Amino acid sequence: MRAPFSAVIAISLGIIVLLGYFVPIGPLTSLRIVLLDWAVILAGVALIVGVVNLFYVHWKKTSEGNTESLYSGVLVFALLITLVLVGWFGPTHTFSLWIFNYIQVPVESSLMAMLAITLAYASARLLRRRIDLLSGVFLATTLVVLLATAPLFGIEIPGLGELRDWIAQVPATAGARGILLGVALGVVATGLRVLMGADRPYGG
Amino acid sequence: MAEVRCPMCGKPNPAELEECQFCGARLKPLVAPPSQEESPPSGPEPDVPAEPAGEPADWLSGFREEEEADREDAAQPADFGEEEPELPRKAPPRGGIQERLARAGGIEPEPAGESAPDEGAAFDEDWSVDERAFDDEDLGEAELPDWLVSMRSGEESPVEAEAGKSPEEPEQDEKSDYVDRWSPPEEEAEVSPEASEIDVPEWMQGLEEERAESEPKAGPGELPDWLKQPAADLPEPEPGADPWSAGEEQAERPSWEEQTPDWLADLSAGPHPDDAGEAGFSASELQDEAEDLPDWLDDFAESPSEAEDYFPPQQPEEPEEEPGLPLELPEEAGEMPDWLADIAPGQQEVGGTGPFEGELELDEPEGVAPFTAGDEESPDWLGGISEEDLAGLEGGFDEVPDWLSDLKSRPIEPEAGSGMVGSPREAGEGEGEGYESELPGWFDEETEAEGLSEMEVEPGLTPATLPSWLEAMRPVEDAAPAPPIEDETEDHVESAGPLSGLRGVLPAEPEVARLRKPPTYSSRLQVTETQESQAEILRNLLKSESRSRPIPTPPLISSQHVLRWVIAAVLILAILLPLVGVGGAAPLPTFTSETAQANRIIRDLPPDSRVLIGFDYEPGLSGEMDAVADAVIDHLILRGALLTLVSSSPTGPVVAERFMSTTQADHNYTAGTQYINLGYVPGGRTGLLSFAESPQRTLPYTLRGATAWGTGADPALAPVQGIDALSDFDMLMVITDNPDTARAWIEQVQPVLVADDSQTPLVMAVSAQAEPMVRPYYHESAGQVQGLVVGLRGAAAYSNLTGRVNLPGAYWGAFGIGSAVAAAVILVASIVAIASSLIAPRQKRAPEEAA
């Protein structure tokens, strides 16, 4: 009973939004906008539900008393402090920005810095793991982009910049366009399947 | 004979009747007298029509009927009752003599147990009667069977033909010897007929008479003329005349032939010198055959006492008085031919039954002893008979010994000169193959079992080429492709119960129902050494699989750790060097077309233009994205644009606030006045679409909680004053590090920016990693993205365009050194890896080559 009802709702709403996108009719556009607002509200609520679920899960892990409880306790503590401070003072308050500027941004930036070193190390050991054509191509591309992107102490290697631009604009863009085309076709197919009820990600 | 007993019902009938008055069966056989036309031809193929199987031949039927009639006549003086005449057809108490004789006469034998105690005497009388009845005169020419007629006409039997071919000795000599053997001494010829009639069997008397008559024709040592003539050249006998019993001879021996049974008549006819001559016997062959004494005769010679026991002589002194008997030739016994040896058993059969007891001079030791001369040459079958069957003679004459039973079964053995030339079997063979169906059952059995086999194994004889008609007369087993083999392997002989002794009876207890101990099989598997070794390998493998491998403890400091720390240290030092003033002043890169396009769009913005900026990058990438955003937003602020900040990332609004409060602090832009932060648009693509469709409904409030849109909005919020749609903004700039977010802005929001008469430009400031995914949307004039600033290099180039020394310029030197060092590290490590990979195989191959 629930499956056809939910399928009818999903398919009808999808068709209304699609028609409102292509057919600029007042009521249809208004209905489409209302539906989109509902979706945004539901997404916001889903974010809140996610945060609550995160808190609940780590709260339970904190109560288990194992070695991972410490990390979960830190998460729960940080969540509560941020929620209290940002909720109380607002997101643009100094306390809120302090937490962001001195806790969140350095932590995430440090992760990106470690990522840079890890990638450099992995590239250095790439040929130790495997020596073949693709590994050589990968390493060559990496070296060209690195050397062409960064200033080499004021040394300009002739043609290296152009080679870097050619790699970024031709091979990389060609591959990305292929990916985008594939993604677009996949999205269209998925949308049609959802509209026809063949694919029901909402369940049923 | 006043009465004739019916052969069918057994009841007496007057002799004048031709048919039984009780059952209507014919009493006298309808045997046509042998005429000239009916006499068997001397050609190769005797054309005798085959009679239906299962029915006896006419000659056999007549023979039987006549025999029955004679028996009945002989039984009359014995004063038996009404049932007594049937006794001759019944089997005697012991032995199969009567049975076989009855079978020979076509009479079914009856079980031995049904015979009366005195049936033996009656049977003896019957035999004497039969012998008398079996006279050629009584039979008459009209009653003679064809085969007898053929024999009398000189037809040569196959056995005789074989016997007549001896390459070792001249034929003339053999014939003379043969005649000599049959020539009685002078004193024997003088024996009074009374004595011979008293002491000698009558059939022997017949032989004597025949021999006596043959003496003037063929003296000893020379062959008569008739004997020299080939059988084919002999004159044809007169119709109705017996060539060897006709004329005066026949008249002189009526008493003998009257008492001789049929088979004895056949036997007696065999040794006739005329037959030998007609059949092509040679004297040498007969001499050889005489030397090849049968074993039974040898046994007699070896154990005369046993022979005496079996055949006690009533007149021991009389053997010398009977020189005419062929079997009483002691001196010549060693040369007795086989056919004569066969005659003797026949006589013994008769003598064993009673009436011949006092007449059988053959059984006397004196008559048997000379046979020892040919003992070593006697056939094996006779030796076997004498050893095994003579033991059964211990019962005396009341019992028929087994060897006599066996010998009785041999009256028709095709021994050369045995007198069986006129036997029914040979006659049947001579009549063609169709006659096989007419042969009695016992005939075939005996022939297949004994007679023919002996003939085949006759030593010293060379197979001769027989005429075709003789070939057709060969024994049945030769004519038939293969004798029928009775498969007795599956026959089950019942050993208990009322069906005991029967063959082919279904067992009462099935084989499967019999309890037996089940067989015991060894449970030990028989494996080879190879299989056992392989099983051991598999067993060890399974044990090793179930065993947990200990996890090797990683060393605290390994080469990988060292290399990792070295790379990290190098990179950190390279980045820190510009901070200390080493290599920090790196020239900014030249701008690219997309950077210049972005700069041109910003530059072309009108004063107090309202620019929507999407801050959608994460705090972790703020190091790069802050520099990129700084170069562009700095330019916008310089241009006096009113900024509206929005973000599709939860952290975006805070990042925007941080960015405006930190990097753009120099511009002293006031929130709510020069820029507003609408905050976070939830829902991802849907939220962006909703924001693009209806920004007022999606984000009605600013991040600080003030109403951003409509009449109730703060008039100080200049950035959104008069904005009903996103197309009302002068420019849309998206700052993001995520390609998907960039695509969401391009795909969901950019179409809304297109108005009827104008189009709001979209400029993207993205990180270097998002460039490949955003660049496809970029085009200077017709693309969704009109301006593009990519990464720190793009930001540095944009700063180079604007001439501003800001954050991208500050990072550029360190970024350049860090990138160069990272490239150098990767390059060196790759070279080392390649070199090590090239050296290692050589080091591995070196020991192998040295070895």
Side-chain angles (χ1 to χ4, degrees), chain B residues 687-711:
Chain B
L688 290 177
L689 177 60
S690 176
F691 177 74
E693 294 287 341
S694 176
Q696 297 84 0
R697 298 170 62 92
T698 304
L699 296 174
Y701 303 100
T702 63
L703 188 61
R704 304 179 190 274
T707 303
W709 317 91
T711 57

Side-chain angles (χ1 to χ4, degrees), chain A residues 32 37 39-40 43 92 100-101 104-105 108 112 121 123-124 127 131 139 143 148-153 173 176-177 180, chain B residues 560 619-622 651 654-655 658 683 690 693 697 704 743 772-773 775-776 793 812 816-817 819 823 826 829-830 837:
Chain A
R32 172 170 169 262
D37 291 340
V40 172
T92 58
F100 181 80
N101 291 328
Q104 187 171 2
V105 171
E108 293 188 8
M112 293 297 106
Y121 173 76
S123 300
L127 294 183
I131 300 177
L139 284 178
L143 293 176
T149 301
L152 297 177
F153 306 101
T173 302
R177 284 188 176 181
L180 292 175
Chain B
Q560 294 184 3
L621 296 174
S622 59
T651 58
V654 182
V655 170
R658 170 185 170 274
S690 176
E693 294 287 341
R697 298 170 62 92
R704 304 179 190 274
R743 283 199 313 117
M773 299 299 293
R775 184 172 291 276
R793 180 182 176 87
W812 182 244
I817 294 175
S819 298
I826 293 173
S830 299
S837 64

Side-chain angles (χ1 to χ4, degrees), chain B residues 154-328:
Chain B
E155 182 176 354
E156 184 175 350
S157 67
V159 178
E160 292 171 348
E162 292 180 4
K165 295 178 176 58
S166 176
E168 297 177 354
E169 297 182 5
E171 186 177 357
Q172 294 293 335
D173 297 338
E174 292 178 0
K175 289 182 178 179
S176 61
D177 296 340
Y178 173 75
V179 174
D180 290 341
R181 288 200 304 269
W182 283 96
S183 299
E186 293 296 329
E187 59 273 14
E188 293 179 359
E190 295 176 359
V191 176
S192 62
E194 292 80 7
S196 64
E197 290 179 1
I198 294 172
D199 299 329
V200 179
E202 294 176 1
W203 64 275
M204 293 185 178
Q205 295 176 5
L207 292 176
E208 182 181 0
E209 293 171 357
E210 290 178 9
R211 186 191 59 191
E213 290 187 5
S214 63
E215 282 179 354
K217 296 179 181 179
E222 61 181 29
L223 284 175
D225 297 334
W226 63 269
L227 196 58
K228 295 178 181 178
Q229 292 178 351
D233 298 335
L234 290 177
E236 291 293 330
E238 295 180 4
D242 192 351
W244 39 280
S245 63
E248 295 80 8
E249 296 179 11
Q250 201 169 14
E252 290 175 3
R253 52 182 179 180
S255 59
W256 174 78
E257 293 186 348
E258 286 177 0
Q259 298 176 359
T260 303
D262 299 345
W263 64 275
L264 279 180
D266 297 337
L267 296 176
S268 61
H272 197 278
D274 296 343
D275 288 347
E278 294 173 359
F281 277 117
S282 63
S284 61
E285 290 175 343
L286 295 176
Q287 178 66 25
D288 295 340
E289 292 173 353
E291 291 176 354
D292 298 336
L293 283 178
D295 293 341
W296 65 275
L297 288 178
D298 297 339
D299 295 338
F300 272 119
E302 293 174 358
S303 59
S305 58
E306 293 183 3
E308 275 186 339
D309 295 338
Y310 299 147
F311 308 102
Q314 294 179 354
Q315 296 176 356
E317 65 282 0
E318 289 182 1
E320 293 79 9
E321 299 175 2
E322 297 177 359
L325 291 176
L327 297 179
E328 294 177 0

Side-chain angles (χ1 to χ4, degrees), chain A residues 39-96:
Chain A
V40 172
I41 294 171
L42 290 175
V45 173
L47 178 61
I48 296 174
V49 172
V51 171
V52 173
N53 182 65
L54 178 67
F55 174 80
Y56 177 73
V57 169
H58 286 274
W59 178 262
K60 288 182 62 176
K61 288 185 177 180
T62 303
S63 61
E64 289 177 356
N66 51 23
T67 55
E68 296 180 354
S69 301
L70 179 61
Y71 305 110
S72 298
V74 172
L75 186 142
V76 170
F77 177 76
L79 176 61
L80 292 175
I81 293 297
T82 304
L83 184 61
V84 170
L85 292 178
V86 174
W88 183 259
F89 297 103
T92 58
H93 195 267
T94 306
F95 293 159
S96 300

Side-chain angles (χ1 to χ4, degrees), chain B residues 90 93 132 206 272 300 425 473 518 544 571 597 692 705 718 772 805 812 818:
Chain B
K90 297 181 179 179
R132 290 192 302 271
H272 197 278
F300 272 119
R425 172 173 170 260
M473 294 174 65
S544 62
L571 289 178
Q597 184 65 19
V805 179
W812 182 244

Side-chain angles (χ1 to χ4, degrees), chain B residues 222-507:
Chain B
E222 61 181 29
L223 284 175
D225 297 334
W226 63 269
L227 196 58
K228 295 178 181 178
Q229 292 178 351
D233 298 335
L234 290 177
E236 291 293 330
E238 295 180 4
D242 192 351
W244 39 280
S245 63
E248 295 80 8
E249 296 179 11
Q250 201 169 14
E252 290 175 3
R253 52 182 179 180
S255 59
W256 174 78
E257 293 186 348
E258 286 177 0
Q259 298 176 359
T260 303
D262 299 345
W263 64 275
L264 279 180
D266 297 337
L267 296 176
S268 61
H272 197 278
D274 296 343
D275 288 347
E278 294 173 359
F281 277 117
S282 63
S284 61
E285 290 175 343
L286 295 176
Q287 178 66 25
D288 295 340
E289 292 173 353
E291 291 176 354
D292 298 336
L293 283 178
D295 293 341
W296 65 275
L297 288 178
D298 297 339
D299 295 338
F300 272 119
E302 293 174 358
S303 59
S305 58
E306 293 183 3
E308 275 186 339
D309 295 338
Y310 299 147
F311 308 102
Q314 294 179 354
Q315 296 176 356
E317 65 282 0
E318 289 182 1
E320 293 79 9
E321 299 175 2
E322 297 177 359
L325 291 176
L327 297 179
E328 294 177 0
L329 299 174
E331 296 79 4
E332 299 176 1
E335 299 176 354
M336 180 180 291
D338 294 339
W339 63 268
L340 194 57
D342 289 342
I343 291 176
Q347 293 173 345
Q348 290 171 359
E349 292 172 8
V350 178
T353 55
F356 291 90
E357 290 179 356
E359 303 173 3
L360 279 176
E361 301 301 330
L362 169 68
D363 301 331
E364 294 180 3
E366 293 78 5
V368 178
F371 289 130
T372 55
D375 189 12
E376 62 276 7
E377 298 180 0
S378 61
D380 297 334
W381 64 272
L382 282 179
I385 291 173
S386 62
E387 294 173 358
E388 300 173 0
D389 299 334
L390 284 179
L393 296 175
E394 295 177 354
F397 290 98
D398 296 336
E399 298 178 0
V400 177
D402 295 337
W403 67 273
L404 279 180
S405 301
D406 293 337
L407 293 177
K408 277 189 306 180
S409 62
R410 304 174 187 270
I412 58 170
E413 288 179 359
E415 292 289 336
S418 62
M420 298 303 293
V421 292
S423 64
R425 172 173 170 260
E426 292 179 355
E429 290 174 352
E431 292 174 3
E433 298 179 359
Y435 186 73
E436 296 173 7
S437 60
E438 302 175 3
L439 292 176
W442 66 270
F443 197 90
D444 294 335
E445 295 172 1
E446 296 298 330
T447 302
E448 295 172 2
E450 301 168 353
L452 297 178
S453 62
E454 289 184 9
M455 182 181 64
E456 293 173 359
V457 298
E458 187 78 20
L461 294 180
T462 304
T465 303
L466 299 178
S468 59
W469 64 272
L470 265 181
E471 188 70 25
M473 294 174 65
R474 288 180 66 84
V476 179
E477 62 181 10
D478 292 344
I485 299 174
E486 182 182 0
D487 187 12
E488 297 181 353
T489 57
E490 297 181 0
D491 290 344
H492 170 68
V493 179
E494 188 67 21
S495 60
L499 301 179
S500 177
L502 296 181
R503 183 183 299 276
V505 178
L506 292 176

